[in-house]
Amino acid sequence: MLNSEIKPIATEWQAHQAQILALFEGAFLRTAIDNRGLLTSTRHAKRVARQLYDIIDRYINETHSVNEVDLLTAKLAEQGLAISSGTQLMQAISSLDWLTSEDIAVNQEIFLKLTQFQLLFMDRLANARELVQHKVQENSQFALQRALHNQLAEQRKLRAEQEQYNEKLGDILALSAQLALIADETKMLETATSGICQALQIVDVTLYEYFETSRQWSLRSSTANQSQSDLWLSTQRILLLNRAMWEQDEIFADEPTDVGADNKLVCLTLQAGNRIYGGLIVNSGSLPLPEEFVILLRTFGQGLAAQWR
């Protein structure tokens, strides 16, 4: 065979593109199960094979950039390429029988480049996998620290809420004891209204009396501004009181205002035994009353109904 008929390996590499791609794809498919993350899917076999073929082609022809191998191995490692998969992919190069064919004058320098690339690729892949593992460990430690921090913050929050609840409960019990000493009904109801408003630090509280014979509600006391008196016996509020009486539960509702955000209302009845003595409508402003405050309000309402009787 004349030397002019002999093709250099760089040309042979391109001439055998289909075979090389098939070998890379097969190697990937056989070891995809060893990968992690994105590259566990065999759908990426063709893409990985093409990336390897292209970079080796540039490497052989010395048209690759200095850090191109580093970038590819880092990307593949982040996507989950295992060392075993990388090894199989590199071994696929060695299975190309035409590389050592006697019919081809092998350019020793180019052949060495293929070997150098295999070593370089595995070295960079190992480093990249180590960096990925280190990053995973750092992220795990950070996630654990963040979870512990959030847990401690939640515990502090719960403790603060419990302390606040206990403080408010103490204020309500003290208020109930104070009400028990007031003989005048009107003064007792006014003190109850202002006292619960102050104890729970809410916008305003309005107290109603219920007349069972006429099935009517009557205003008894309110901490709201006198300018809001048209709301005290509005149709909406009477309907709320009736709903609370019929459903025997707290009723939550929004009340339109002239300043934008609706007021959040809580309505409950004051019942002792089988008799309903009155009802409370609590306005907590634009923010809903916390659930634990609703529980305190219910406790207060039960005590007030018993004393009203």
Side-chain angles (χ1 to χ4, degrees):
M1 177 176 284
L2 299 176
N3 289 340
S4 60
E5 298 175 351
I6 300 174
K7 300 178 181 179
I9 287 185
T11 304
E12 288 291 334
W13 179 264
Q14 295 173 359
H16 291 83
Q17 179 182 131
Q19 179 192 10
I20 297 167
L21 288 173
L23 287 171
F24 282 155
E25 287 180 31
F28 182 90
L29 292 172
R30 287 193 300 274
T31 57
I33 192 172
D34 297 333
N35 296 331
R36 298 290 183 271
L38 184 67
L39 294 186
T40 56
S41 172
T42 56
R43 293 180 300 174
H44 299 282
K46 290 185 180 297
R47 174 177 63 83
V48 173
R50 169 55 66 177
Q51 288 175 321
L52 280 176
Y53 174 86
D54 290 344
I55 194 172
I56 293 175
D57 184 60
R58 291 193 294 274
Y59 189 87
I60 290 174
N61 291 285
E62 298 182 349
T63 57
H64 69 292
S65 60
V66 176
N67 62 343
E68 193 171 356
V69 178
D70 292 346
L71 292 175
L72 178 60
T73 52
K75 182 177 180 181
L76 292 175
E78 289 178 358
Q79 294 175 348
L81 186 70
I83 295 297
S84 58
S85 292
T87 302
Q88 288 293 317
L89 288 166
M90 291 301 99
Q91 287 179 350
I93 298 176
S94 302
S95 66
L96 297 170
D97 53 1
W98 50 266
L99 283 176
T100 56
S101 172
E102 294 180 358
D103 297 332
I104 300 175
V106 177
N107 184 317
Q108 292 298 320
E109 182 180 353
I110 298 179
F111 182 77
L112 285 175
K113 284 184 178 181
L114 289 174
T115 304
Q116 290 169 359
F117 179 84
Q118 290 172 304
L119 296 174
L120 177 64
F121 181 87
M122 291 308 302
D123 178 68
R124 295 297 188 268
L125 180 61
N127 291 338
R129 286 296 305 168
E130 185 177 350
L131 289 174
V132 168
Q133 292 297 328
H134 183 67
K135 184 177 180 181
V136 168
Q137 291 175 356
E138 283 187 339
N139 290 340
S140 297
Q141 291 176 354
F142 177 75
L144 178 60
Q145 291 174 353
R146 183 171 56 186
L148 290 173
H149 175 77
N150 292 340
Q151 184 179 10
L152 289 174
E154 184 65 20
Q155 289 176 349
R156 286 194 293 268
K157 178 185 175 183
L158 291 174
R159 184 169 62 250
E161 290 176 350
Q162 185 62 47
E163 290 175 353
Q164 184 186 41
Y165 179 86
N166 293 340
E167 180 183 352
K168 299 300 182 186
L169 179 59
D171 291 342
I172 289 175
L173 293 175
L175 175 60
S176 296
Q178 179 186 356
L179 296 178
L181 301 176
I182 302 176
D184 182 74
E185 180 181 274
T186 299
K187 184 178 180 182
M188 187 269 290
L189 296 178
E190 290 176 350
T191 303
T193 306
S194 59
I196 190 61
C197 187
Q198 182 177 359
L200 297 184
Q201 297 179 341
I202 44 188
V203 177
D204 60 67
V205 177
T206 304
L207 186 149
Y208 301 82
E209 182 175 2
Y210 180 68
F211 296 94
E212 190 171 1
T213 54
S214 62
R215 297 184 180 179
Q216 297 292 319
W217 296 91
S218 174
L219 176 69
R220 290 300 302 265
S221 178
S222 180
T223 62
N225 190 292
Q226 189 67 29
S227 62
Q228 296 178 308
S229 59
D230 58 326
L231 294 175
W232 292 343
L233 291 172
S234 65
T235 302
Q236 181 188 9
R237 290 203 169 193
I238 297 302
L239 289 174
L240 285 178
L241 290 164
N242 285 330
R243 277 190 60 197
M245 178 175 61
W246 295 331
E247 298 181 19
Q248 297 183 348
D249 199 359
E250 294 88 15
I251 302 298
F252 300 87
D254 293 341
E255 185 173 63
T257 67
D258 296 329
V259 292
D262 292 349
N263 285 331
K264 305 297 182 181
L265 304 182
V266 180
C267 177
L268 72 159
T269 56
L270 305 175
Q271 182 173 351
N274 295 324
R275 180 178 172 183
I276 294 178
Y277 289 85
L280 283 175
I281 292 184
V282 174
N283 171 23
S284 59
S286 60
L287 298 177
L289 196 66
E291 183 179 355
E292 59 271 20
F293 279 26
V294 175
I295 297 173
L296 290 171
L297 188 62
R298 185 187 307 143
T299 301
F300 171 76
Q302 292 170 350
L304 178 58
Q307 294 189 48
W308 197 345
R309 181 174 59 179

